[in-house]
Amino acid sequence: QVRMVESGGGLVQPGGSLRLSCAASGRTFSSYYMGWFRQAPGKEREFVAGISGSGGSTYYTPSVKGRFTISRDNAKNTANLQMNSLTPEDTAVYYCAGGMSRPYTPGSPSAYDYWGQGTQVTVSS
């Protein structure tokens, strides 16, 4: 089995920053591309960012480009999402996901095989 566990969510003011982490179990973490998705109440799940297995390619939804940075540390089996300049529109549950499908289609939830439990990010006041 592959388990992915997010952490780092919380309540921040607009303009603030958070760093989300995803700890992944498994023997072949570097073989998985990783992604972050988010879902706000009453809205569909939205792609946020993706990264290839080697970390050499990254992908972002337009609304977070320049503000969010996805990274990974294959030696530690972790993926991260640094979120800066947060706005209330970023409020959502953020999910970490991994997959091995080829070619990598980062924006598609169906491309991912394993999902974390989600971590709440609230941007307010």
Side-chain angles (χ1 to χ4, degrees):
Q1 66 177 40
V2 176
R3 182 184 299 274
M4 300 191 176
V5 180
E6 306 94 331
S7 62
L11 174 64
V12 296
Q13 293 182 302
S17 297
L18 282 175
R19 186 175 181 86
L20 306 184
S21 295
C22 176
S25 65
R27 318 180 198 283
T28 56
F29 179 71
S30 64
S31 298
Y32 289 82
Y33 49 80
M34 299 293 295
W36 289 93
F37 290 75
R38 65 188 181 187
Q39 188 164 25
K43 297 189 176 181
E44 63 185 6
R45 187 165 296 188
E46 175 191 24
F47 171 73
V48 178
I51 188 167
S52 61
S54 69
S57 299
T58 58
Y59 311 86
Y60 299 94
T61 194
S63 65
V64 309
K65 287 181 179 178
R67 299 189 298 121
F68 291 12
T69 302
I70 188 171
S71 62
R72 67 191 297 157
D73 185 341
N74 288 343
K76 296 182 178 180
N77 277 28
T78 58
N80 305 111
L81 185 68
Q82 177 67 45
M83 305 185 295
N84 299 328
S85 301
L86 286 162
T87 75
E89 291 69 43
D90 297 314
T91 296
V93 176
Y94 283 70
Y95 297 91
C96 172
M100 296 185 68
S101 298
R102 303 291 187 274
Y104 180 32
T105 55
S108 175
S110 65
Y112 298 86
D113 303 303
Y114 307 103
W115 294 80
Q117 83 288 352
T119 186
Q120 178 71 48
V121 172
T122 302
V123 185
S124 182
S125 299

